[in-house]
Amino acid sequence: MEEYSFYEGELTPDYKLAFELAIFNRREHLLLQSLTGWSSFYIINKKERSIVAAIFFNTKDRVAISPFKSPFGGIDFCEDVPNPILFNFLLFVEEILHRNKVTKVILKNPPEKYNNLLPAVTTMLIDHGYNKMEDISAIIEINAPNIESSLRHSDKRRLLKSREAGLTFQKLNIDHLRDVYTFIEECRSSKGYKLSMEFRDLEKTVQTFPHDFLLFAVFYNDRIAAASISIRVKRNVLYDFYHDHHKDFNYFSPVVMLINGIAEYCYMEDIKLLDLGTSSINNSTNVSLLNFKLKLGATPSTKFTFEKTLA
């Protein structure tokens, strides 16, 4: 275990990442969330001069949160980091934050399917005295070119009717961002909901990561019936950030065709996980929405938020 050490602060460029940082933990995205207030913590493999784990907190009013303004952030790490090292690293991070007068820590981890060691991290945080709040993500594991075999009979029938009626799935150029955003915003508004992100903030993020944001839509002639804004969180994970459909197409349930098309794209691009997100509305699980996602072939994956008040 002597080859590992813990570090706070910015590292010199000669340290290389031994794993892929999720987009929400990349420096460019952190600075979009806030230009100031960041603390960086790393586990270093001294022999390899490599970074094997990282976590980033933004502190405001003595509350340290990871991430500051993203669906999740939390700890990112190689899957071969020994558990005792991770356990002690979390203690190290907490001690530094406490020394810096932080009174509360909030940590939003990704869904546990993202990393095989995340369930172990959950246990470690509980052992360290953190309280956990649970949400459920729905994730499709991509092992076939489409999801049709996992659909219930009624959804297979809707998919067939959609095709017979002339509905088509398309991947759109990022130049259509405003059109897709406006469509989804109007669909949500008709149901009494608001999008969590203003267009100007989304546009700025897309301009920073132009290759990591993907647009998909289902069309009837030239009219959008359903659409998605998705984020390639990692090489092997696509996150369906926003999607919705117009009520005029309820009969066809065009989201079935939309998700089937996105799954096919994932298969072609060797993306292993399609994250359909949580099903929470106003901090409460929408059971019917979750069940709809599960009937599309998704499986539930727990997504935890941890909190601890520091004495």
Side-chain angles (χ1 to χ4, degrees), residues 219-283:
F219 282 87
Y220 179 68
N221 296 326
D222 294 329
R223 186 181 177 192
I224 299 178
S228 164
I229 300 171
S230 295
I231 307 171
R232 195 154 184 177
V233 177
K234 292 188 174 186
R235 282 190 298 271
N236 67 337
V237 180
L238 186 67
Y239 173 47
D240 178 26
F241 183 51
Y242 289 144
H243 81 248
D244 215 321
H245 75 281
H246 197 281
K247 62 183 179 181
D248 288 354
F249 297 91
N250 284 349
Y251 172 74
F252 296 104
S253 192
V255 170
V256 177
M257 177 177 278
L258 180 70
I259 299 304
N260 185 74
I262 297 174
E264 183 174 357
Y265 173 84
C266 290
Y267 184 81
M268 298 298 293
E269 294 295 320
D270 199 30
I271 297 171
K272 303 302 183 185
L273 300 177
L274 172 55
D275 184 356
L276 301 182
T278 63
S279 301
S280 295
I281 298 177
N282 298 326
N283 297 318

Side-chain angles (χ1 to χ4, degrees), residues 47-58:
K47 181 180 178 181
E48 303 291 336
R49 290 190 69 78
S50 64
I51 302 167
V52 298
I55 191 168
F56 308 94
F57 284 96
N58 189 273

Side-chain angles (χ1 to χ4, degrees), residues 19-232:
F19 62 99
E20 182 187 11
L21 272 176
I23 188 172
F24 303 129
N25 277 334
R26 296 174 199 163
R27 180 173 178 79
E28 297 87 349
H29 201 286
L30 297 178
L31 293 178
L32 287 172
Q33 298 174 50
S34 176
L35 291 173
T36 60
W38 290 103
S39 302
S40 305
F41 301 89
Y42 303 97
I43 301 178
I44 305 300
N45 185 312
K46 293 181 287 185
K47 181 180 178 181
E48 303 291 336
R49 290 190 69 78
S50 64
I51 302 167
V52 298
I55 191 168
F56 308 94
F57 284 96
N58 189 273
T59 300
K60 184 177 181 180
D61 298 328
R62 301 177 73 178
V63 176
I65 182 170
S66 175
F68 185 52
K69 293 179 180 178
S70 288
F72 53 82
I75 186 167
D76 235 343
F77 54 95
C78 294
E79 291 195 2
D80 59 357
V81 180
N83 279 352
I85 297 298
L86 282 174
F87 186 89
N88 289 326
F89 176 62
L90 293 170
L91 274 180
F92 167 81
V93 170
E94 183 181 316
E95 289 170 0
I96 296 294
L97 292 174
H98 187 245
R99 190 185 308 161
N100 292 337
K101 311 300 182 184
V102 167
T103 58
K104 187 175 184 179
V105 181
I106 301 174
L107 182 65
K108 293 190 281 185
N109 273 350
E112 293 197 330
K113 278 189 181 293
Y114 278 33
N115 188 311
N116 291 330
L117 281 183
L118 276 171
V121 170
T122 294
T123 300
M124 294 174 197
L125 288 167
I126 293 171
D127 288 346
H128 285 321
Y130 284 78
N131 297 313
K132 62 181 173 69
M133 291 168 288
E134 181 176 330
D135 209 341
I136 302 295
S137 290
I139 296 180
I140 298 176
E141 298 184 57
I142 306 298
N143 47 32
N146 55 55
I147 60 172
E148 290 185 52
S149 61
S150 60
L151 295 176
R152 58 184 177 177
H153 180 70
S154 58
D155 284 330
K156 288 181 181 178
R157 190 168 61 248
R158 288 191 182 97
L159 185 56
L160 177 61
K161 288 181 179 295
S162 297
R163 290 169 176 159
E164 291 174 342
L167 274 71
T168 58
F169 171 84
Q170 296 181 37
K171 179 180 180 295
L172 302 179
N173 188 283
I174 200 65
D175 294 342
H176 293 278
L177 178 66
R178 182 179 287 277
D179 295 335
V180 172
Y181 179 91
T182 300
F183 170 82
I184 295 174
E185 183 179 43
E186 290 173 352
C187 291
R188 295 288 176 91
S189 179
S190 71
K191 300 167 186 173
Y193 304 123
K194 290 184 64 176
L195 293 178
S196 58
M197 198 171 189
E198 299 281 346
F199 178 76
R200 64 178 180 271
D201 296 326
L202 177 62
E203 184 179 41
K204 188 175 181 180
T205 307
V206 171
Q207 289 169 349
T208 305
F209 301 96
H211 304 296
D212 294 311
F213 279 77
L214 304 171
L215 305 179
F216 304 97
V218 171
F219 282 87
Y220 179 68
N221 296 326
D222 294 329
R223 186 181 177 192
I224 299 178
S228 164
I229 300 171
S230 295
I231 307 171
R232 195 154 184 177

